[in-house]
Amino acid sequence: MNIKTCKYIRLTLSYFVVAIMFMVILYPIIWIIGSSFNPGDSLSGSSIIPKNATLAHYKELFNMENSDYLYWYWNSLKVSVLTMLITVILVSLTAYSFSRYRFIGRKNGLMTFLILQMVPNFAALIAIFVLALLTGLLDSHLGLILVYVGGQIPMNTYLMKGYLDTIPKELDESARMDGAGHLRVFFQIVMPLAKPIVAVVALFAFIAPFADFIIANILLRSEKKFTLAVGLYKLISDQFGAKFTEFAAGSVLIAIPIAILFLCFQKYFVSGLTAGGTKG
């Protein structure tokens, strides 16, 4: 078998695998979009290409007299944006400290962050609930944001610290020789060079509240304070009044802010995701 034939076979197999992966990923998305346009509330008679497509489910979601969907959407956006901003600030400062300074407990701190990555937030649900109850943060978005931020810090600090290690420290030293202080070096020298990893951390921190259901369901009690995941679950949790097609319509709209943020940060992602693991 000659070289050209081997390359052709490898290329064909590669495209075949990519096509299968593409179908596996795309099929559920097409199905949920098609279901959102199907009439009725049940998925039993739904099809990917609805015969009598309707926008009634989308109109129902935006009818504030019968649906709290807009409240849920606003709550998710508020929680996600605040979580993203606070996480980026805290993670940037923490990662910069671990990357640039040498202090007692530095290695143990990094090891602790590495271990904490292995423990998801929902593993401490009882402790989180009791803590929120004792501090008066139960059924509040502030308590939910603090839990999300705390869960984001270990993994993202380790990721950003690896990226900051790739930025030459000689730049810091040159700036200090010119009279720059620590904060000026951080904001004007290091952070502009760390935009790729900041974008990655921001996207991770934004998506987490949108995707989370368990913690939000434990901490939030008022229906108008629900996030999208909890609110949409209520649409299908009723045994006799489940609205599966309306749930599908609400799920489709969730992707809009995530897609917009992804497109805004897209140019930073390739270098940010790969460079973060080069040094640790």
Side-chain angles (χ1 to χ4, degrees), residues 177-194:
M177 290 178 64
D178 292 335
H182 294 287
L183 289 178
R184 189 169 184 181
V185 171
F186 174 74
F187 285 110
Q188 296 187 0
I189 304 297
V190 177
M191 282 298 100
L193 297 175

Side-chain angles (χ1 to χ4, degrees), residues 88 92-93 96 160 164 167 185-198:
V88 168
S92 299
L93 293 171
Y96 179 77
M160 185 177 287
L164 295 183
I167 299 176
V185 171
F186 174 74
F187 285 110
Q188 296 187 0
I189 304 297
V190 177
M191 282 298 100
L193 297 175
K195 286 181 180 178
I197 197 64
V198 171

Side-chain angles (χ1 to χ4, degrees), residues 28-96:
I29 298 175
I30 296 177
W31 180 264
I32 201 73
I33 293 175
S35 298
S36 69
F37 292 104
N38 276 275
D41 293 329
S42 176
L43 291 178
S44 58
S46 299
S47 59
I48 295 181
I49 303 176
K51 296 180 181 179
N52 300 310
T54 176
L55 294 172
H57 305 305
Y58 291 94
K59 294 178 181 178
E60 185 67 23
L61 289 176
F62 290 98
N63 184 359
M64 297 186 67
E65 295 181 0
N66 301 324
S67 174
D68 292 324
Y69 183 78
L70 290 179
Y71 289 106
W72 303 338
Y73 211 104
W74 166 249
N75 293 338
S76 290
L77 283 176
K78 179 175 68 174
V79 171
S80 296
V81 170
L82 290 176
T83 299
M84 178 183 69
L85 294 176
I86 298 173
T87 298
V88 168
I89 294 172
L90 293 181
V91 168
S92 299
L93 293 171
T94 307
Y96 179 77

Side-chain angles (χ1 to χ4, degrees), residues 21-275:
M21 294 175 61
F22 185 75
M23 291 175 61
V24 170
I25 295 172
L26 194 62
Y27 180 77
I29 298 175
I30 296 177
W31 180 264
I32 201 73
I33 293 175
S35 298
S36 69
F37 292 104
N38 276 275
D41 293 329
S42 176
L43 291 178
S44 58
S46 299
S47 59
I48 295 181
I49 303 176
K51 296 180 181 179
N52 300 310
T54 176
L55 294 172
H57 305 305
Y58 291 94
K59 294 178 181 178
E60 185 67 23
L61 289 176
F62 290 98
N63 184 359
M64 297 186 67
E65 295 181 0
N66 301 324
S67 174
D68 292 324
Y69 183 78
L70 290 179
Y71 289 106
W72 303 338
Y73 211 104
W74 166 249
N75 293 338
S76 290
L77 283 176
K78 179 175 68 174
V79 171
S80 296
V81 170
L82 290 176
T83 299
M84 178 183 69
L85 294 176
I86 298 173
T87 298
V88 168
I89 294 172
L90 293 181
V91 168
S92 299
L93 293 171
T94 307
Y96 179 77
S97 300
F98 278 111
S99 176
R100 288 301 194 261
Y101 303 125
R102 299 296 180 267
F103 49 88
I104 299 175
R106 175 178 174 274
K107 290 185 178 180
N108 291 334
L110 287 172
M111 186 58 64
T112 302
F113 279 167
L114 185 61
I115 295 173
L116 288 175
Q117 294 182 46
M118 307 174 189
V119 183
N121 282 344
F122 64 81
L125 281 180
I126 296 177
I128 291 173
F129 178 81
V130 172
L131 185 61
L133 184 63
L134 293 176
T135 55
L137 294 176
L138 192 65
D139 196 27
S140 72
H141 291 150
L142 177 60
L144 190 61
I145 291 170
L146 292 176
V147 172
Y148 286 145
V149 171
Q152 292 282 336
I153 289 176
M155 180 189 71
N156 289 318
T157 295
Y158 212 85
L159 185 67
M160 185 177 287
K161 186 261 180 190
Y163 187 93
L164 295 183
D165 285 344
T166 65
I167 299 176
K169 295 181 180 179
E170 288 77 8
L171 296 175
D172 305 18
E173 297 171 357
S174 299
R176 290 195 180 93
M177 290 178 64
D178 292 335
H182 294 287
L183 289 178
R184 189 169 184 181
V185 171
F186 174 74
F187 285 110
Q188 296 187 0
I189 304 297
V190 177
M191 282 298 100
L193 297 175
K195 286 181 180 178
I197 197 64
V198 171
V200 172
V201 171
L203 184 68
F204 287 169
F206 184 86
I207 291 177
F210 263 95
D212 177 69
F213 166 77
I214 297 177
I215 297 176
N217 191 43
I218 292 295
L219 294 183
L220 300 179
R221 291 291 180 266
S222 304
E223 189 165 341
K224 288 192 176 182
K225 290 185 178 180
F226 286 166
T227 56
L228 276 171
V230 181
L232 288 175
Y233 173 74
K234 299 300 180 183
L235 293 178
I236 58 174
S237 60
D238 191 345
Q239 184 176 359
F240 300 104
K243 302 177 180 178
F244 289 100
T245 47
E246 191 173 326
F247 170 87
S251 301
V252 171
L253 296 177
I254 292 177
I256 294 176
I258 299 175
I260 292 174
L261 191 67
F262 182 86
L263 291 174
C264 292
F265 291 161
Q266 186 177 13
K267 61 182 179 180
Y268 300 116
F269 287 151
V270 175
S271 58
L273 287 171
T274 56

